[in-house]
Structure formats: C-alpha cells, structure tokens
C-alpha cells in the first residue's frame, strides 16, 4: 500500500506563538503541496489551543510532544490525552529520546502513554532509536525492537493499525549526522517485517514509519523516499519556513 508521505515538525521547547503564525502564514502559499504531503506541527503544549484557529485555512494538522498516561486526576502540571483531543490534536509524540533520557521515561511507561493516546483516539507517534554506543556494539535492531515490543505486547493489531513509528537514532538527533541510506533501510525494513510477524502484512502496511534525525532540505529527498520510509520527523529544520518547506517539497 502506498501511503501519503507524512512530515511531522517537532518544535521541542522552542519558539513563540508569533513564530508559529509566521510559519503558517508562509505555508499558505504551499496549500496545493500540502494536499499531496501530509504535514503536522507538534508545537509546545501551551500553543496547542491556538492551532485550530491558526490552521483554519491550511490542510494541515497539529499534535503534542508528550502526554500523561492517566485519564485525569491529581497530577499537577500534566496534560491528558483527552485534553489534547479537546484542542484538536491529531497526533502525539510518545517516547522521544529526549523524554527517555532527561525525564526517565522507560519503555513500559512509554507504552502506557501510547495506550492512553490511542484510547482517546489520538494517533501516537512512537519514537524508537539506538544510542551511538548501542549502534557500535551492534545492538541497534535489538534496541529498537525492544522499544517497539513494549507497545506491541499491550495492544492489538486493530489498535496498532494506522499508527506511526519514528525511527530516530539518538546520535543523529540535532547533530548533523545521519545514518547511511543502507542503515536506514535496514532498520525500517526490520521494523516492517517485525510488524508482519507480530500481526499480519495488511496491518503492517497501515503503519507509517518515519525517519528522524538531522533531516534537512538537502537530504530529505534521499532519506525520506527510501523503501519502508513513509516520511520524517523533523526537529531543528522545522522551526522556520525556509528550512522546513524544502523538506516536504522534496516529497511530492
Ligand atoms: P533534529 O531532531 O531534526 O533536530 O535532528 C529530530 C527529532 O528530535 O525529532
């Protein structure tokens, strides 16, 4: 099955509401392109309630970068999946390596967040990826499959279908380093095969596999059109129109 490519911006803890408006204003001229490539903006949570109005005239969606695993209650400072739905989010990133590394999110916890997102009808973008040390020890596939399995073992084929997995080697994030095209294909093909084995081919084909880590305008066409790569998760280059638009333009 051929998917429409998906390009997701991960703004991380950057930008202002004015910066979002500037980007969206510039993206207006790309509306024809945005009907061919799906683009979603995962902005800081405080800006999400502006997105419905801000994106009103653009064929794009928006999402969050994190979600709590509980439904509601006394969890000061946290945001539930239902709240993200309330402000119109389509996606939520779960298990980004920065959350795993700096906020102690381990795979079982990430899996609970994934479940909470799915239960609220959000589409989780599950991030998996190995550290440089793990790659050098030849553990890449074992690491990413363990991160994926933590979710697979608590869900069903029906619920996993149509979700998104982002392969982001930790050493490629924000560094300007990228894996070779062969390395990307080998991980993405292994992820697809793993889903076929776990569920079936039809289910596996509904899952979009994104690559993330130092994607820029000049490497997007090469990295994001590889076999089993259905789009990209973009950090630094997603903050400005000048660096973001060449990435989704490269995919039409
Ligand atoms: P980068 O970040 O594009 O700045 O490398 C990607 C990510 O962390 O999702």
């Amino acid at each position: 099955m051929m998917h429409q490519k998906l390009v997701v911006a991960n703004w991380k803890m950057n930008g202002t509401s004015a910066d979002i408006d500037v980007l969206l204003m510039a993206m207006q001229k790309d509306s024809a392109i945005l009907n061919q490539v799906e683009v979603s903006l995962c902005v800081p949570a405080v800006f999400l309630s502006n997105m419905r109005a801000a994106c009103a005239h653009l064929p794009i969606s928006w999402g969050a970068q994190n979600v709590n695993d509980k439904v509601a209650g006394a969890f000061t400072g946290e945001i539930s999946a239902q709240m993200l739905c309330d402000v119109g989010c389509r996606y939520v990133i779960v298990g980004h390596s920065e959350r795993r590394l700096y906020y102690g999110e381990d795979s079982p916890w990430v899996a609970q967040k994934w479940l909470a997102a799915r239960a609220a009808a959000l589409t989780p973008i599950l991030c998996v990826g190995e550290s440089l040390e793990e790659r050098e020890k030849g553990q890449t596939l074992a690491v990413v499959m363990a991160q994926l399995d933590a979710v697979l073992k608590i869900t069903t084929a029906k619920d996993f279908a149509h979700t998104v997995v982002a392969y982001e080697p930790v050493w490629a994030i924000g560094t300007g380093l990228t894996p070779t095209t062969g390395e990307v294909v080998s991980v993405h093909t292994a992820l697809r095969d793993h889903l076929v084995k776990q569920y079936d081919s039809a289910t596996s084909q509904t899952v979009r596999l994104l690559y993330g880590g130092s994607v820029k305008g000049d490497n997007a066409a090469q990295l994001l059109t590889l076999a089993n790569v259905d789009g990209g998760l973009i950090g630094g280059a997603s903050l400005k129109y000048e660096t973001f638009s060449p990435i989704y333009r490269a995919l039409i």
Side-chain angles (χ1 to χ4, degrees):
M1 184 202 301
M2 281 293 285
H3 290 285
Q4 192 176 40
K5 295 275 187 190
L6 170 63
V7 174
V8 178
N10 174 13
W11 274 39
K12 312 192 180 185
M13 196 171 74
N14 293 299
T16 63
S17 51
D19 293 330
I20 296 172
D21 289 342
V22 169
L23 174 65
L24 291 171
M25 189 66 78
M27 285 174 72
Q28 299 277 357
K29 55 177 165 290
D30 293 344
S31 41
I33 295 164
L34 297 170
N35 284 314
Q36 298 171 62
V37 181
E38 184 183 349
V39 173
S40 193
L41 304 184
C42 292
V43 297
V46 287
F47 303 133
L48 287 171
S49 58
N50 301 337
M51 294 302 274
R52 206 186 309 257
C55 298
H57 302 295
L58 274 169
I60 67 171
S61 63
W62 54 95
Q65 302 168 11
N66 183 30
V67 64
N68 192 272
D69 56 323
K70 308 287 195 306
V71 171
F75 303 105
T76 302
E78 290 296 293
I79 297 176
S80 72
Q82 197 50 54
M83 292 169 190
L84 298 180
C85 286
D86 191 337
V87 294
C89 288
R90 178 176 300 170
Y91 295 101
V92 59
I93 298 170
V94 296
H96 190 280
S97 64
E98 287 149 17
R99 301 242 24 120
R100 293 178 190 260
L101 201 62
Y102 306 142
Y103 302 98
E105 293 186 12
D106 58 12
S107 286
W109 188 9
V110 170
Q112 291 304 315
K113 288 174 179 242
W114 188 99
L115 219 50
R118 204 66 184 130
L122 292 165
T123 299
I125 299 172
L126 173 68
C127 295
V128 299
E130 82 288 1
S131 66
L132 187 57
E133 193 189 344
E134 288 160 344
R135 173 160 285 273
E136 283 169 350
K137 285 189 186 152
Q139 297 169 343
T140 298
L141 291 182
V143 168
V144 303
M145 295 314 159
Q147 290 169 334
L148 178 60
D149 279 339
V151 172
L152 299 186
K153 74 176 190 212
I154 61 165
T155 190
T156 60
K158 187 168 163 286
D159 278 345
F160 202 79
H162 301 287
T163 66
V164 181
V165 176
Y167 168 55
E168 298 204 306
V170 179
W171 51 272
I173 296 176
T175 58
L177 302 172
T178 53
T180 64
T181 53
E183 286 166 341
V184 173
V185 169
S186 115
V187 174
H188 279 243
T189 302
L191 286 167
R192 187 82 72 201
D193 290 348
H194 194 77
L195 292 174
V196 174
K197 247 183 266 148
Q198 176 80 19
Y199 300 129
D200 54 75
S201 174
T203 302
S204 147
Q205 290 301 323
T206 68
V207 176
R208 281 189 288 188
L209 302 178
L210 309 185
Y211 167 77
S214 295
V215 176
K216 311 278 177 236
D218 58 12
N219 62 16
Q222 195 182 27
L223 290 169
L224 306 186
T225 58
L226 294 167
N228 286 315
V229 178
D230 304 305
L233 179 55
I234 321 298
S238 71
L239 294 167
K240 292 213 153 40
Y241 178 79
E242 292 67 28
T243 50
F244 189 43
S245 72
I247 296 174
Y248 56 76
R249 281 168 176 269
L251 302 185
I252 55 168

